[in-house]
Amino acid sequence: MITFRKRRMIGVSVSLVLATLFIVCYRKLTDNLVSTATCSGLLLFGFILFLAAYNGRKRITFLPLGKSSTWLQFHLYSGYLCIVLFLIHVGFRTPHGGLETLLAIVFGLVAGSGIVGAILSRMIPRRLTQRAGTIIFETIPLLRRELKDSVDALILNSIELTGKTTIADFYAYRLASFFVGPRNFWSHVQGSERHLSRTYANLMGLKRYLSHDELTVVERLADKVREKDNLDFQYSLQLLLKYWLFIHIPLTFSLIIIGLFHGIYASLWT
Amino acid sequence: MHLFGHRRYNRPNQKWECGRAAEGKACSLGPDSGGKCIIKSECKPVRDANGFQCARPTQLGGQCPTGPLPDGSCCLQIPPCSPRRTTRAKRQLLVLLTAAFSIGLCFYFFGVSSPHRGFLSGGSLSNRHSSIKHQCSSCHATVEGNVINWVLSAKHPNVQSQKCLECHSMSPHVFSPHGVNPTVLAKLTEVRHGDGKPVEPGAKRMECNTCHKEHRGFQADIKTMTNNQCQTCHAKSFKSFANGHPEFDKFPFRRRTRILFDHSSHFGKNFDKAGVKDMRCQTCHAPDSAGQLMVVSGFKQACAQCHSNQIHGVDQLEKGLVFFRVPAVDLKTLKTKGINIGEWPEDADGALTPFQKILIANDDRFSTAFKQVPDVDLTDLGGLSDADLKAVGQVLWGVKSLLADLAGENSKHLQTKLEKYLKHELAPAELALLAGALPPDVLRNTASAWFHNLKAEVGAFHTGRLTATHRFKQPKDLKDTDVDWVTAGGWYRNNGDYTLRYRPIGHADPFIHNWLDVAAASYAESKLSKGLFDSLSSRKANAGSCMKCHSVDAVAGAAGASGGVHVNWHSKSSDNEPKTFDRFRHVSHFSLLGNTGCLTCHSINKDAEYEKAFVGRDNTVFESNFQPIKKATCVACHQSDRAGDSCLSCHNYHVGEVLSSQSSFKKVQTSMDGDEQTAAAPAGAVPVAVATPAPTATPTPTPTPTSVATPVPAPTATPTPKGD
Amino acid sequence: MNEASELGVERPGRWDKPFDSNMSDEHVRSVLKVAPFSLIDAQKFPKSMPLAGILKNDTRLVTYKRGDLIVREGDYGSSAFFIMSGSVRVVVDSEATKLADKALGRTPPKEKNWKEALSQLWTNAKVPEYRASVKFVGNAVPGGGAGLRTEAGNTRVFLQDVSAVLNEHKTVQLHEGEFFGEIAALGRTPRTATIFAEADGVELLEIKWQGLRDIRNHAPQIREHIDRIYRERSLLIHLHETPMFAHLTNEQLEAVAAETQFKSFGNFDWHASYKTVIERTASSRLNDEPIIVEQGDYPNAVILIRAGFARLSEIIGNGHRTVSYFGRGQYYGYREVFHNWKNDASVPYQFTLRGIGHTDVLIVPSQVIEKLVLPTIPKEQQPWFAIESKTTSGSDQLAKRDQQNRVGTDVLEFLVENRYINGTAAMMINLDRCTRCDDCIRACANAHDNNPKFIRDGKQVGNLMIGHACMQCQDPVCMIGCPTGAIHRETLKGNVVINDLTCIGCGSCAASCPYENIQMVETRNAQGEYLLDKATNRPIVKATKCDLCLEQITGPACQNACPHDALVRIDVSDRIDLVNWVKR
């Protein structure tokens, strides 16, 4: 079993070699006054089709078309090569035509989102694992609700228990909304916990007005906040992991379509 | 995922999920495949012995406390939810929408008519072309009309280049490298490569857009070319201009100067002799409009001060150019043979002038006779056959009737003769010029003075009623034209030798200038023209002595035929110098000149035998007044990190006459006023019947008026390209 | 290792609830009248566990109709049978498996071809858990179809055409007073033959394995009987498979076999108790695990694991630390014995060997080894690492060990404590790489008519997670007690699979799976509504679990579909693979 490090080494070096090869060919040809537009265009389109084919491979899981992970490796590195090819195709210039510009932007978005996605896919899982293991995305709403119910219950019988509504009021004004739905998306993405410490600070601030057995309630409440924050953390990061594809995949399709159009069009206009 | 303590599968593969999943209240059943909510109640109670029982299985929560309603329906009715797409289903939907949108977009742009195709254009055109924005079809022939047409119109290989040529008139060999005639190119490359591997004629077809790539923005320079690109064709590649570029040979001299002007002698002595103070280069030389060539500022500015008198021929009475003469004739022989030529002065002297010969030869009445005895010596007619004598007689009558015609009421006779000679109609202006504004009265007086009843005689001769022979009566009290008048220039008579003479009225005298051109034009064909030209251009000082300064180039004749001549009326200028591979912009270099000025590059070569080269008519044999310029001089600045050393900074790709689109303006103009010549004639030339031909031994026959528009690359004139 | 203590722990749990409450005293008496029970000397039994008690609590009387299947080849069973009256038939010919399959409506699985595989793209159901039919209505196959019959609460499978089966297959008759199924019961090995009742009213005494074990321990004639059968049937083979003995001649091997004793440790249905056990502290758990040999004792035997698992641990400070775990076919003690035979300075056992759950071992005395095995041992069979001195401090040893098995102790303990060592295809997920993209689940669903067969969730240690997917246990306890044999080992790859049609949704397998890897699902019709049972109006439930994509060309879809190499189906007992993957 080849280790990940070794695999990365191979992948990077091979694609570097290819990239240089492409560029050298491009230079030679342009020096010879040969127009590379057509062949680089076709090559680029071929690459894009191959990259897109990965999506198809993911659907047809029941045919022995090679492991998905192998595909991903090819997908990643040919993705990087694709960027080189693109630059070659546009001649290392910013395109001027309307359609060309549109294509370039779409390509940029697809490639960009791809790179971002690759980075996220490597970084986020670690963060998810470090903190509180796995929660399945789809179950988060359920857990959130159960948590909310339990908090409500806690507050209610704190009123019964103590006859005071101090905590209840605090909860109503400061915390209720926090428990309702996903919160603090960005600070979780950034890995900040400021929002949490702020909430804690508020809770602790409350303490000086509380009786002994109210304090225990606050402690419990604090735990609940922790739990909820955990859910939010899981929710935010997993959301990120799922939604970058909402740019990458749809735009890939328009890239292919417009690209095809651009190809036909260019070949017609002589 | 737990539900009532049971693990349950997550089904992210499903398209739809319960609408209440978001609040974490998803039902156990979930929507159907169509995304419809199908759950009604928690269970379907079952009837047994003691009534209805809750049928909810344990894994879904087990029996509910309340149990079924009396009517047997479940107590936990579930109001229908509006199911939501699962994450993945949402993504798929988005994919569909995006794809649909993209396709729509494409079809829209395929559909639209050309004015709205701006979006599809590959980008704005370079500033020179920006005027043809949005008229795709003016360059893209295949895209007239809508998309169907595009598809139908098959892809022609070079259709686009053809479109370019509609505006840019180029060398006929435009698609051969450098626009040079392939065979010539082959020769050149053979010379250069020396490895016997010349570029095969027509080996490469170079489309315009191979180098000129459009749609790269308004600012884009579509004429640029990298050094590497030059060197891919040019076999002998080298590192840079400083490093490996071949040494110049005799740069920039390709031919002797058009105007004979010996810089060393002038600067050496003449100027001092004439006491002309501080002559500098710029006194006579100024950059042309393009700032490229340093052209001579012309006679008035440069030469007149000393040389206009020479042209007037001050204190040289006999300077006049003999136009008409009563030749000396062997009257005795004629008499004895009884050939009647009417009265004739015995004391006449000299032979027929080239002008007379031309005019008589082109007089229908005498041409046959003249042809019989073209070069007969009139002063010794003995030993001539009767027939010949008869012809001589005729010719002499030709002389007389010529005089009579010139003295006649109208210029018709002269005109017809000239037209016959020039083989084309004469505009009045031309007639005037060729006739040198010859005043008729002067002729009448002359005629009556020399031949008392010339009119009667000639009339009789023509009507055949010629009877008695009148003895010639010596004219009395003949007065020659006043000397002052004579020196003033123009026409005058010399009764002493019965000559009618013309003195040039100054530099570029139209009469002589035009007759020289006329003669030069038909130099190759007609002996008479040759005679005339030689007499006019012989450097032994006669009228004007133009050829003292204006060199005459031999013009190679068309295959077989003997060559013609060309008078260099003008010094080198962008009009008479074809575009070569080299380019040097003087103006841009002025700022660099030290106190040595022009001498920085142009140092006079004292020992050069400059003048020697002007004896012959071959312009390629020469010795320059100046030392050739060395590569080192340029290298001093032209390096990649300084003034730049791109091939294009000194070399042109397109050679020969290359007209950028503004020259098509010239074409437009010419086609407007049908008079090709005016357009074709070099600037400042007097309007004459024949345009100044390009000063080259061109393989094409004597230049046509449109010669300016046609490039004339030729091995001898085309400087051998550097660096290949 | 004295049994008293072990039983002491066990008894309360064991006799609280008898095997069958209908087993009355006169039933017991009637049983005691027939040989060989009549011959057993009841005095030999300890007061705490009289023979009568055993019979009352650990046995039951069952009557079968003609054609009823009693045991099926390949099934797991925890009980042996004694024929009280009537006779049964044992199908002995090679067709037996086929019969079992046919009879049970099992269609032997076959790998899909490309077309079939691809067709899943459009033939897969749209709704979850769609079933065209949910009930097994016997299928007419040559040699007798089979049917399901429910009687007094328990469902039986019966052959519809016994005479046909008798003609078709080679069978042997077993008569009154004969035992069968005892090896499978004691040895936790699959049934070797299919047996059915020849006529109505066949009465059998079904003896739970605990009962059988105790009777065997105290009644010599029973022991001899059982041991004889075992020696005849499988001991030789088992010894022969052991590399240590590979070089012996058959005579020598028989000599070894003659000297070999076998013993079983621990709790046969550990899977039931283990869920409670796991809650307790490590040390208390460890104390419950019966010691097979103890660190420091004189190495007087080599221990071969025959079935189940054993934990190898060493004393660190006041506790034990797991060093390794053994599964079927592995052995311990050889190194020590070899050392003592070679050197004059003898060493004790270096580690403690404990039975995990249920462990069945063979004990080969060291004299036998020294006499028969070692003199002729080839070089490659000699222990490849010497015994290091015990002088080095515990912490040093810790470091040393961790280098040896690079998985890390925490992972090791985790795998053992949770009994994941049982898995030959456990779903291990590296959470540091897993992007939670659910491609694995989607692939699984694609391969199973749009139904996932696992849950991407489970116990964790560090960044490792064992998903809730059937891990194809070496010891598939789920198969015990399936009334219809719906869950069985298929013949293609030997995977444990559930036959959906014959599954009656009783949930016994799901309950007995210690890993919660079998899920009960409510079946649906094409509209996505539950299929309700006419009688009860409750949804018809089926047990579902991972079948390792038995019929797919691709092998396990989940593993193939993982873009990040985060998921693997791994044989936990293969330590090399494990280490390689974990440390990848």
Side-chain angles (χ1 to χ4, degrees), chain B residues 7-9 11 13-14 29 44-45 59 88, chain C residues 126 129 442 450 468 516 522 524 537 544:
Chain B
R7 288 195 176 281
R8 299 178 73 79
Y9 294 119
R11 302 178 182 275
N13 52 311
Q14 289 309 123
L29 186 63
K44 184 154 170 279
Q59 69 269 16
R88 187 156 175 102
Chain C
K126 296 279 168 294
E129 303 302 345
R442 229 170 277 110
N450 192 30
H468 282 296
E516 299 181 23
E522 300 82 23
R524 302 160 181 247
N537 270 1
T544 62

PDB file of all heavy atoms in Angstrom, chain B residues 7-9 11 13-14 29 44-45 59 88, chain C residues 126 129 442 450 468 516 522 524 537 544:
ATOM      1  N   ARG B   7     -31.335   2.044  15.869  1.00  0.00           N
ATOM      2  CA  ARG B   7     -30.530   2.656  14.807  1.00  0.00           C
ATOM      3  C   ARG B   7     -31.330   2.607  13.511  1.00  0.00           C
ATOM      4  O   ARG B   7     -32.007   1.623  13.242  1.00  0.00           O
ATOM      5  CB  ARG B   7     -29.228   1.881  14.632  1.00  0.00           C
ATOM      6  CG  ARG B   7     -28.291   2.110  15.775  1.00  0.00           C
ATOM      7  CD  ARG B   7     -26.896   1.655  15.427  1.00  0.00           C
ATOM      8  NE  ARG B   7     -26.025   1.983  16.536  1.00  0.00           N
ATOM      9  CZ  ARG B   7     -25.543   3.207  16.756  1.00  0.00           C
ATOM     10  NH1 ARG B   7     -25.873   4.190  15.928  1.00  0.00           N
ATOM     11  NH2 ARG B   7     -24.770   3.439  17.782  1.00  0.00           N
ATOM     12  N   ARG B   8     -31.251   3.697  12.768  1.00  0.00           N
ATOM     13  CA  ARG B   8     -31.911   3.704  11.451  1.00  0.00           C
ATOM     14  C   ARG B   8     -30.929   4.235  10.421  1.00  0.00           C
ATOM     15  O   ARG B   8     -30.082   5.067  10.724  1.00  0.00           O
ATOM     16  CB  ARG B   8     -33.174   4.569  11.496  1.00  0.00           C
ATOM     17  CG  ARG B   8     -34.201   4.069  12.481  1.00  0.00           C
ATOM     18  CD  ARG B   8     -35.415   4.983  12.518  1.00  0.00           C
ATOM     19  NE  ARG B   8     -36.256   4.856  11.327  1.00  0.00           N
ATOM     20  CZ  ARG B   8     -37.119   3.857  11.167  1.00  0.00           C
ATOM     21  NH1 ARG B   8     -37.225   2.924  12.086  1.00  0.00           N
ATOM     22  NH2 ARG B   8     -37.870   3.812  10.092  1.00  0.00           N
ATOM     23  N   TYR B   9     -31.059   3.710   9.218  1.00  0.00           N
ATOM     24  CA  TYR B   9     -30.143   4.142   8.151  1.00  0.00           C
ATOM     25  C   TYR B   9     -30.389   5.600   7.792  1.00  0.00           C
ATOM     26  O   TYR B   9     -31.532   6.048   7.749  1.00  0.00           O
ATOM     27  CB  TYR B   9     -30.364   3.298   6.887  1.00  0.00           C
ATOM     28  CG  TYR B   9     -29.987   1.844   7.037  1.00  0.00           C
ATOM     29  CD1 TYR B   9     -30.930   0.850   6.879  1.00  0.00           C
ATOM     30  CD2 TYR B   9     -28.680   1.473   7.311  1.00  0.00           C
ATOM     31  CE1 TYR B   9     -30.594  -0.490   6.995  1.00  0.00           C
ATOM     32  CE2 TYR B   9     -28.336   0.141   7.437  1.00  0.00           C
ATOM     33  CZ  TYR B   9     -29.295  -0.835   7.274  1.00  0.00           C
ATOM     34  OH  TYR B   9     -28.958  -2.148   7.391  1.00  0.00           O
ATOM     35  N   ARG B  11     -30.414   8.139   4.728  1.00  0.00           N
ATOM     36  CA  ARG B  11     -30.601   7.892   3.296  1.00  0.00           C
ATOM     37  C   ARG B  11     -30.318   9.158   2.482  1.00  0.00           C
ATOM     38  O   ARG B  11     -31.228   9.747   1.901  1.00  0.00           O
ATOM     39  CB  ARG B  11     -32.012   7.380   3.035  1.00  0.00           C
ATOM     40  CG  ARG B  11     -32.307   6.100   3.807  1.00  0.00           C
ATOM     41  CD  ARG B  11     -33.713   5.605   3.585  1.00  0.00           C
ATOM     42  NE  ARG B  11     -33.970   4.401   4.393  1.00  0.00           N
ATOM     43  CZ  ARG B  11     -33.647   3.171   4.000  1.00  0.00           C
ATOM     44  NH1 ARG B  11     -33.067   2.980   2.827  1.00  0.00           N
ATOM     45  NH2 ARG B  11     -33.917   2.141   4.784  1.00  0.00           N
ATOM     46  N   ASN B  13     -29.171   9.309  -0.193  1.00  0.00           N
ATOM     47  CA  ASN B  13     -29.380   9.015  -1.614  1.00  0.00           C
ATOM     48  C   ASN B  13     -30.782   9.380  -2.059  1.00  0.00           C
ATOM     49  O   ASN B  13     -31.053   9.489  -3.245  1.00  0.00           O
ATOM     50  CB  ASN B  13     -29.129   7.526  -1.871  1.00  0.00           C
ATOM     51  CG  ASN B  13     -29.928   6.662  -0.925  1.00  0.00           C
ATOM     52  OD1 ASN B  13     -29.914   6.887   0.293  1.00  0.00           O
ATOM     53  ND2 ASN B  13     -30.656   5.704  -1.456  1.00  0.00           N
ATOM     54  N   GLN B  14     -31.706   9.557  -1.089  1.00  0.00           N
ATOM     55  CA  GLN B  14     -33.085   9.908  -1.475  1.00  0.00           C
ATOM     56  C   GLN B  14     -33.142  11.338  -2.000  1.00  0.00           C
ATOM     57  O   GLN B  14     -32.345  12.189  -1.613  1.00  0.00           O
ATOM     58  CB  GLN B  14     -34.033   9.762  -0.278  1.00  0.00           C
ATOM     59  CG  GLN B  14     -34.292   8.337   0.130  1.00  0.00           C
ATOM     60  CD  GLN B  14     -34.717   7.451  -1.031  1.00  0.00           C
ATOM     61  OE1 GLN B  14     -34.079   6.446  -1.294  1.00  0.00           O
ATOM     62  NE2 GLN B  14     -35.773   7.848  -1.739  1.00  0.00           N
ATOM     63  N   LEU B  29     -41.791   7.912   7.945  1.00  0.00           N
ATOM     64  CA  LEU B  29     -42.044   7.379   6.603  1.00  0.00           C
ATOM     65  C   LEU B  29     -41.346   8.212   5.536  1.00  0.00           C
ATOM     66  O   LEU B  29     -40.619   7.698   4.691  1.00  0.00           O
ATOM     67  CB  LEU B  29     -43.557   7.363   6.342  1.00  0.00           C
ATOM     68  CG  LEU B  29     -43.997   6.693   5.042  1.00  0.00           C
ATOM     69  CD1 LEU B  29     -43.612   5.219   5.066  1.00  0.00           C
ATOM     70  CD2 LEU B  29     -45.486   6.841   4.842  1.00  0.00           C
ATOM     71  N   LYS B  44     -52.006   2.600  11.785  1.00  0.00           N
ATOM     72  CA  LYS B  44     -53.339   2.222  11.294  1.00  0.00           C
ATOM     73  C   LYS B  44     -53.880   1.206  12.300  1.00  0.00           C
ATOM     74  O   LYS B  44     -53.545   0.019  12.248  1.00  0.00           O
ATOM     75  CB  LYS B  44     -53.213   1.592   9.912  1.00  0.00           C
ATOM     76  CG  LYS B  44     -54.510   1.230   9.240  1.00  0.00           C
ATOM     77  CD  LYS B  44     -54.319   1.227   7.723  1.00  0.00           C
ATOM     78  CE  LYS B  44     -55.504   0.632   6.987  1.00  0.00           C
ATOM     79  NZ  LYS B  44     -55.472  -0.850   6.988  1.00  0.00           N
ATOM     80  N   PRO B  45     -54.679   1.701  13.267  1.00  0.00           N
ATOM     81  CA  PRO B  45     -55.109   0.809  14.365  1.00  0.00           C
ATOM     82  C   PRO B  45     -55.734  -0.471  13.843  1.00  0.00           C
ATOM     83  O   PRO B  45     -56.339  -0.495  12.774  1.00  0.00           O
ATOM     84  CB  PRO B  45     -56.138   1.663  15.107  1.00  0.00           C
ATOM     85  CG  PRO B  45     -55.749   3.071  14.798  1.00  0.00           C
ATOM     86  CD  PRO B  45     -55.240   3.038  13.394  1.00  0.00           C
ATOM     87  N   GLN B  59     -40.330  -0.161  17.129  1.00  0.00           N
ATOM     88  CA  GLN B  59     -39.200   0.581  16.551  1.00  0.00           C
ATOM     89  C   GLN B  59     -39.639   1.969  16.084  1.00  0.00           C
ATOM     90  O   GLN B  59     -38.813   2.807  15.754  1.00  0.00           O
ATOM     91  CB  GLN B  59     -38.555  -0.197  15.396  1.00  0.00           C
ATOM     92  CG  GLN B  59     -39.389  -0.323  14.150  1.00  0.00           C
ATOM     93  CD  GLN B  59     -40.254  -1.583  14.172  1.00  0.00           C
ATOM     94  OE1 GLN B  59     -40.442  -2.189  15.234  1.00  0.00           O
ATOM     95  NE2 GLN B  59     -40.774  -1.953  13.027  1.00  0.00           N
ATOM     96  N   ARG B  88     -28.205  16.962  -1.835  1.00  0.00           N
ATOM     97  CA  ARG B  88     -27.707  16.535  -3.139  1.00  0.00           C
ATOM     98  C   ARG B  88     -28.728  16.849  -4.232  1.00  0.00           C
ATOM     99  O   ARG B  88     -28.370  17.353  -5.296  1.00  0.00           O
ATOM    100  CB  ARG B  88     -27.425  15.038  -3.113  1.00  0.00           C
ATOM    101  CG  ARG B  88     -26.746  14.566  -4.375  1.00  0.00           C
ATOM    102  CD  ARG B  88     -25.974  13.311  -4.097  1.00  0.00           C
ATOM    103  NE  ARG B  88     -25.422  12.790  -5.331  1.00  0.00           N
ATOM    104  CZ  ARG B  88     -24.139  12.945  -5.659  1.00  0.00           C
ATOM    105  NH1 ARG B  88     -23.325  13.614  -4.872  1.00  0.00           N
ATOM    106  NH2 ARG B  88     -23.675  12.416  -6.773  1.00  0.00           N
TER     107      ARG B  88
ATOM    108  N   LYS C 126     -37.119   3.523  -6.485  1.00  0.00           N
ATOM    109  CA  LYS C 126     -37.060   4.961  -6.186  1.00  0.00           C
ATOM    110  C   LYS C 126     -37.248   5.192  -4.692  1.00  0.00           C
ATOM    111  O   LYS C 126     -36.668   6.095  -4.120  1.00  0.00           O
ATOM    112  CB  LYS C 126     -38.149   5.699  -6.973  1.00  0.00           C
ATOM    113  CG  LYS C 126     -37.954   5.614  -8.489  1.00  0.00           C
ATOM    114  CD  LYS C 126     -36.940   6.638  -8.989  1.00  0.00           C
ATOM    115  CE  LYS C 126     -36.542   6.333 -10.427  1.00  0.00           C
ATOM    116  NZ  LYS C 126     -35.785   5.034 -10.532  1.00  0.00           N
ATOM    117  N   GLU C 129     -36.362   0.786   0.780  1.00  0.00           N
ATOM    118  CA  GLU C 129     -36.857  -0.508   1.272  1.00  0.00           C
ATOM    119  C   GLU C 129     -38.081  -1.005   0.517  1.00  0.00           C
ATOM    120  O   GLU C 129     -39.030  -1.515   1.123  1.00  0.00           O
ATOM    121  CB  GLU C 129     -37.162  -0.408   2.774  1.00  0.00           C
ATOM    122  CG  GLU C 129     -35.976   0.030   3.610  1.00  0.00           C
ATOM    123  CD  GLU C 129     -34.770  -0.886   3.462  1.00  0.00           C
ATOM    124  OE1 GLU C 129     -34.937  -2.016   2.949  1.00  0.00           O
ATOM    125  OE2 GLU C 129     -33.662  -0.437   3.829  1.00  0.00           O
ATOM    126  N   ARG C 442     -24.027   6.321  -0.639  1.00  0.00           N
ATOM    127  CA  ARG C 442     -24.724   6.365  -1.924  1.00  0.00           C
ATOM    128  C   ARG C 442     -24.333   5.148  -2.769  1.00  0.00           C
ATOM    129  O   ARG C 442     -25.188   4.485  -3.352  1.00  0.00           O
ATOM    130  CB  ARG C 442     -24.390   7.662  -2.652  1.00  0.00           C
ATOM    131  CG  ARG C 442     -25.617   8.368  -3.162  1.00  0.00           C
ATOM    132  CD  ARG C 442     -25.294   9.752  -3.659  1.00  0.00           C
ATOM    133  NE  ARG C 442     -25.246  10.711  -2.578  1.00  0.00           N
ATOM    134  CZ  ARG C 442     -24.132  11.286  -2.140  1.00  0.00           C
ATOM    135  NH1 ARG C 442     -22.964  11.000  -2.698  1.00  0.00           N
ATOM    136  NH2 ARG C 442     -24.171  12.140  -1.158  1.00  0.00           N
ATOM    137  N   ASN C 450     -31.130   0.766  -3.977  1.00  0.00           N
ATOM    138  CA  ASN C 450     -31.422   2.076  -3.379  1.00  0.00           C
ATOM    139  C   ASN C 450     -31.516   2.041  -1.854  1.00  0.00           C
ATOM    140  O   ASN C 450     -32.076   2.948  -1.248  1.00  0.00           O
ATOM    141  CB  ASN C 450     -32.720   2.653  -3.971  1.00  0.00           C
ATOM    142  CG  ASN C 450     -32.920   4.111  -3.607  1.00  0.00           C
ATOM    143  OD1 ASN C 450     -31.950   4.842  -3.423  1.00  0.00           O
ATOM    144  ND2 ASN C 450     -34.162   4.511  -3.469  1.00  0.00           N
ATOM    145  N   HIS C 468     -20.937   1.212  11.512  1.00  0.00           N
ATOM    146  CA  HIS C 468     -21.944   0.182  11.763  1.00  0.00           C
ATOM    147  C   HIS C 468     -22.239  -0.571  10.474  1.00  0.00           C
ATOM    148  O   HIS C 468     -23.303  -0.423   9.874  1.00  0.00           O
ATOM    149  CB  HIS C 468     -23.219   0.804  12.324  1.00  0.00           C
ATOM    150  CG  HIS C 468     -23.102   1.148  13.767  1.00  0.00           C
ATOM    151  ND1 HIS C 468     -22.917   0.191  14.734  1.00  0.00           N
ATOM    152  CD2 HIS C 468     -23.106   2.330  14.412  1.00  0.00           C
ATOM    153  CE1 HIS C 468     -22.841   0.775  15.920  1.00  0.00           C
ATOM    154  NE2 HIS C 468     -22.948   2.084  15.754  1.00  0.00           N
ATOM    155  N   GLU C 516     -24.398  -3.924  16.723  1.00  0.00           N
ATOM    156  CA  GLU C 516     -25.531  -3.163  16.167  1.00  0.00           C
ATOM    157  C   GLU C 516     -25.348  -2.948  14.675  1.00  0.00           C
ATOM    158  O   GLU C 516     -25.603  -1.866  14.150  1.00  0.00           O
ATOM    159  CB  GLU C 516     -25.665  -1.809  16.875  1.00  0.00           C
ATOM    160  CG  GLU C 516     -25.926  -1.956  18.365  1.00  0.00           C
ATOM    161  CD  GLU C 516     -26.079  -0.599  19.048  1.00  0.00           C
ATOM    162  OE1 GLU C 516     -26.412   0.380  18.341  1.00  0.00           O
ATOM    163  OE2 GLU C 516     -25.870  -0.547  20.268  1.00  0.00           O
ATOM    164  N   GLU C 522     -38.594  -1.237   7.914  1.00  0.00           N
ATOM    165  CA  GLU C 522     -39.991  -1.439   7.539  1.00  0.00           C
ATOM    166  C   GLU C 522     -40.050  -1.453   6.019  1.00  0.00           C
ATOM    167  O   GLU C 522     -39.605  -0.510   5.370  1.00  0.00           O
ATOM    168  CB  GLU C 522     -40.871  -0.314   8.092  1.00  0.00           C
ATOM    169  CG  GLU C 522     -40.849  -0.192   9.599  1.00  0.00           C
ATOM    170  CD  GLU C 522     -39.642   0.595  10.106  1.00  0.00           C
ATOM    171  OE1 GLU C 522     -39.087   1.385   9.317  1.00  0.00           O
ATOM    172  OE2 GLU C 522     -39.251   0.388  11.263  1.00  0.00           O
ATOM    173  N   ARG C 524     -41.633  -1.406   2.184  1.00  0.00           N
ATOM    174  CA  ARG C 524     -42.597  -0.487   1.573  1.00  0.00           C
ATOM    175  C   ARG C 524     -43.018  -0.977   0.195  1.00  0.00           C
ATOM    176  O   ARG C 524     -42.336  -1.787  -0.418  1.00  0.00           O
ATOM    177  CB  ARG C 524     -41.973   0.898   1.414  1.00  0.00           C
ATOM    178  CG  ARG C 524     -41.491   1.496   2.702  1.00  0.00           C
ATOM    179  CD  ARG C 524     -40.482   2.571   2.403  1.00  0.00           C
ATOM    180  NE  ARG C 524     -39.961   3.184   3.616  1.00  0.00           N
ATOM    181  CZ  ARG C 524     -40.197   4.453   3.943  1.00  0.00           C
ATOM    182  NH1 ARG C 524     -40.936   5.225   3.172  1.00  0.00           N
ATOM    183  NH2 ARG C 524     -39.676   4.947   5.039  1.00  0.00           N
ATOM    184  N   ASN C 537     -51.575  -5.048  11.270  1.00  0.00           N
ATOM    185  CA  ASN C 537     -51.466  -3.690  10.735  1.00  0.00           C
ATOM    186  C   ASN C 537     -50.115  -3.052  11.051  1.00  0.00           C
ATOM    187  O   ASN C 537     -49.967  -1.853  10.960  1.00  0.00           O
ATOM    188  CB  ASN C 537     -52.587  -2.786  11.275  1.00  0.00           C
ATOM    189  CG  ASN C 537     -53.768  -2.863  10.339  1.00  0.00           C
ATOM    190  OD1 ASN C 537     -53.731  -3.589   9.353  1.00  0.00           O
ATOM    191  ND2 ASN C 537     -54.817  -2.130  10.661  1.00  0.00           N
ATOM    192  N   THR C 544     -31.734  -6.257   7.806  1.00  0.00           N
ATOM    193  CA  THR C 544     -30.833  -5.945   6.675  1.00  0.00           C
ATOM    194  C   THR C 544     -29.440  -5.701   7.221  1.00  0.00           C
ATOM    195  O   THR C 544     -29.264  -5.187   8.325  1.00  0.00           O
ATOM    196  CB  THR C 544     -31.288  -4.670   5.944  1.00  0.00           C
ATOM    197  OG1 THR C 544     -31.216  -3.595   6.867  1.00  0.00           O
ATOM    198  CG2 THR C 544     -32.689  -4.812   5.418  1.00  0.00           C
TER     199      THR C 544
END
